Amino acid sequence: MTQDLTVYEAIERRRDVRAEFSGELLDDDVLVRILSAAHRAPSVGNSQPWDFVVIQSPETLDAFAAHVACKRDDFAESLPPERAATFSPIKIEGIRESRTGIVVTHDQSRGGQHVLGRHTITDAGLFSTVLAIQNLWLAATAEGIGVGWVSFYDEPFLANLAGLPEGVRPIAWLCIGPVTRLQEVPDLERFGWRSRRPLDEAIHRERF
Ligand SMILES: Cc1cc2nc3c(=O)[nH]c(=O)nc-3n(C[C@H](O)[C@H](O)[C@H](O)COP(=O)(O)O)c2cc1C
């Protein structure tokens, strides 16, 4: 259900969701509304280099969740004991519970060779795809829908799982679905992993 949130309220309420998915399947009309918000993102040279692969097959969700579990183990093993203990209770995905995954992809060849504004900054295409993700995340928040970004994967594995053509890169797996609630404080802060920086530290005037 769309809520009448201001942009500031949606930004404030947005959360990375892991444990709060209700298990209901996202309504398809809502999904399309959210994807249309993503698709209206700004992009370098109007190249619109993104695509959205919507995945709801339980077998594919299981296969991705199993892969992510291995990557989580790899990360846990790389940590010193004290950080490993802090990391241990932190949930890093809600792949099965959300029941819908969106693989957001990036095609650097979209728009041809002469993308206006990308001749100086190659990554400007990638920035555009990430802006589509932010639009998606905020629109979902305004719909009362949760989103969780999963990045614990090997790109070739996900490219193969989602059937991506050669040269199309997976940028994110987004778990998306109805939620029981949105946390007020980010999980990584609640679990003592890392807190938000004060705004003062991020603002610089005239020079860094
Ligand atoms: C590029 C990117 C990758 C992320 N990957 C993961 C991930 O693999 N698992 C996870 O639980 N959260 C992931 N997150 C979510 C962040 O942990 C989260 O945004 C951050 O802790 C702040 O919390 P908030 O989004 O609720 O404000 C990712 C976020 C971004 C932007």
Side-chain angles (χ1 to χ4, degrees):
M1 175 187 44
T2 319
Q3 300 157 7
D4 283 329
L5 301 185
T6 66
V7 170
Y8 283 101
E9 285 166 340
I11 289 170
E12 173 112 15
R13 197 170 298 182
R14 184 209 57 78
R15 196 79 301 126
D16 185 83
V17 175
R18 292 123 161 149
E20 292 79 17
F21 291 109
S22 69
E24 296 157 85
L25 189 65
L26 178 60
D27 180 88
D28 212 56
D29 290 343
V30 178
L31 171 65
V32 172
R33 271 206 303 274
I34 292 170
L35 290 177
S36 95
H39 193 57
R40 278 198 290 265
S43 61
V44 64
N46 208 15
S47 55
Q48 303 153 77
W50 51 73
D51 285 276
F52 310 104
V53 184
V54 177
I55 297 180
Q56 294 178 322
S57 135
E59 292 75 30
T60 312
L61 298 180
D62 281 349
F64 186 62
H67 175 73
V68 168
C70 291
K71 297 290 132 186
R72 184 202 161 93
D73 289 348
D74 291 349
F75 182 64
E77 279 164 24
S78 75
L79 296 171
E82 187 213 327
R83 288 303 264 169
T86 307
F87 178 62
S88 170
I90 299 177
K91 193 167 160 58
I92 54 124
E93 49 84 13
I95 297 161
R96 293 187 179 94
E97 307 89 303
S98 63
R99 298 186 55 193
T100 303
I102 301 176
V103 180
V104 182
T105 66
H106 176 70
D107 183 354
Q108 186 72 3
S109 71
R110 181 91 34 87
Q113 253 194 312
H114 305 289
V115 174
L116 186 153
R118 210 188 58 198
H119 61 301
T120 41
I121 301 170
T122 309
D123 284 344
L126 196 54
F127 303 159
S128 310
T129 295
V130 176
L131 286 171
I133 296 174
Q134 181 72 339
N135 268 17
L136 183 159
W137 213 335
L138 291 176
T141 306
E143 296 276 1
I145 295 299
V147 172
W149 186 323
V150 183
S151 56
F152 281 59
Y153 58 80
D154 290 333
E155 285 192 26
F157 177 88
L158 183 52
N160 182 47
L161 190 70
L164 306 189
E166 191 69 29
V168 174
R169 185 176 168 198
I171 303 306
W173 175 293
L174 303 176
C175 306
I176 180 164
V179 285
T180 51
R181 58 178 294 221
L182 292 176
Q183 294 287 347
E184 285 174 20
V185 177
D187 277 16
L188 296 195
E189 189 160 330
R190 289 193 302 123
F191 285 94
W193 181 263
R194 191 173 172 89
S195 300
R196 282 176 287 195
R197 297 164 66 207
L199 175 63
D200 287 357
E201 274 184 19
I203 296 178
H204 311 265
R205 297 185 191 262
E206 313 306 341
R207 283 172 65 79
F208 197 100

